[in-house]
Amino acid sequence: MGGGNLSDFLGKSMAVLVFGSNDYINNYLMPAIYSSSFNYSPPQFANLLLNNYARQLVALYGLGLRKFLLAGIGPLGCIPNQRASGQSPPDRCVDYVNQMLGTFNEGLHSLVDQLNRQPGAMYAFGNTYAAVGDILNNPATYGFNVVDRGCCGIGRNQGQITCLPFAIPCTNRNVFVFWDAFHPTQSVNNILARRAFSGPPRDCYPINVQQMTLFS
């Protein structure tokens, strides 16, 4: 594909970016291995991530991409991995982990407004935190009845060791919110995708994916 055709192709494409969770789960929340939580307060770390993210998004815009869906971080304090840490009662999420994500999600929401000032750009913020929180608070509404442990995993909350090869998963994964120590099930991802595609601005701001596709 030639340069002109590539630019046209990228301009009509949509980039879906889901970043941030691993920076917390596999770095900031592992103080025994990484020093980031000693070097940065939660707001400072969030702003560090956002500044790097913004530079990469501007670079992608420079390559010709114009439509972006930026997913926020979900309530990581509620994943089986964090529940299994023993930092909260068995039936509760780890509140301080959820609270520290506010700066990142609010900053990403604001970043969308800033980036949409670029000519021809369409950025949308997917409110993963609120959508997953709604599922966790009202599981029966969505057909779930297991919210605190993984379908496949080992140890407390099936979240101390994540799903490994040859592990035997649960037989009814459709009623589980979490597949393993870290990730939601396909059923949850389907809900998140639908809310991003056709949901109101509280789900996908300032426009949803379906509305974005109407622009050539």
Side-chain angles (χ1 to χ4, degrees):
M1 183 180 295
N5 289 337
L6 178 59
S7 295
D8 184 60
F9 177 79
L10 292 176
K12 293 178 179 178
S13 301
M14 181 181 299
V16 180
L17 298 99
V18 186
F19 289 125
S21 295
N22 286 344
D23 294 289
Y24 286 94
I25 296 170
N26 295 324
N27 189 302
Y28 196 76
L29 296 174
M30 300 179 71
I33 301 175
Y34 299 103
S35 62
S36 52
S37 61
F38 301 107
N39 297 331
Y40 303 97
S41 68
Q44 289 172 336
F45 187 70
N47 286 322
L48 175 69
L49 297 181
L50 289 165
N51 287 336
N52 281 288
Y53 203 174
R55 283 197 292 271
Q56 297 295 336
L57 290 168
V58 170
L60 291 173
Y61 175 87
L63 292 174
L65 284 161
R66 291 296 179 266
K67 300 175 183 178
F68 300 84
L69 172 63
L70 312 180
I73 300 177
L76 298 180
C78 299
I79 65 175
N81 165 265
Q82 290 300 302
R83 288 180 186 259
S85 68
Q87 299 179 82
S88 66
D91 60 340
R92 291 289 305 274
C93 299
V94 183
D95 290 338
Y96 88 90
V97 172
N98 286 340
Q99 291 166 3
M100 74 171 58
L101 304 175
T103 302
F104 181 89
N105 284 328
E106 291 164 12
L108 190 59
H109 188 283
S110 298
L111 184 61
V112 161
D113 285 331
Q114 297 173 37
L115 293 172
N116 275 330
R117 296 171 188 157
Q118 298 174 111
M122 283 181 283
Y123 290 81
F125 168 74
N127 193 354
T128 311
Y129 190 99
V132 174
D134 186 31
I135 293 169
L136 292 172
N137 289 327
N138 306 284
T141 302
Y142 296 94
F144 302 108
N145 58 34
V146 183
V147 302
D148 60 349
R149 63 184 188 273
C151 170
C152 185
I154 301 171
R156 188 187 299 120
N157 299 91
Q158 278 72 57
Q160 288 179 293
I161 300 175
T162 195
C163 192
L164 298 172
F166 308 113
I168 300 174
C170 65
T171 58
N172 54 343
R173 65 190 69 183
N174 289 337
V175 301
F176 279 68
V177 170
F178 294 102
W179 161 247
D180 60 11
F182 305 101
H183 305 100
T185 55
Q186 179 173 297
S187 298
V188 171
N189 281 327
N190 284 339
I191 294 169
L192 299 180
R194 287 197 300 270
R195 291 177 79 147
F197 184 76
S198 57
R202 69 175 178 272
D203 287 338
C204 197
Y205 169 88
I207 59 175
N208 60 40
V209 171
Q210 186 175 34
Q211 292 166 333
M212 200 182 295
T213 62
L214 300 177
F215 296 90
S216 60

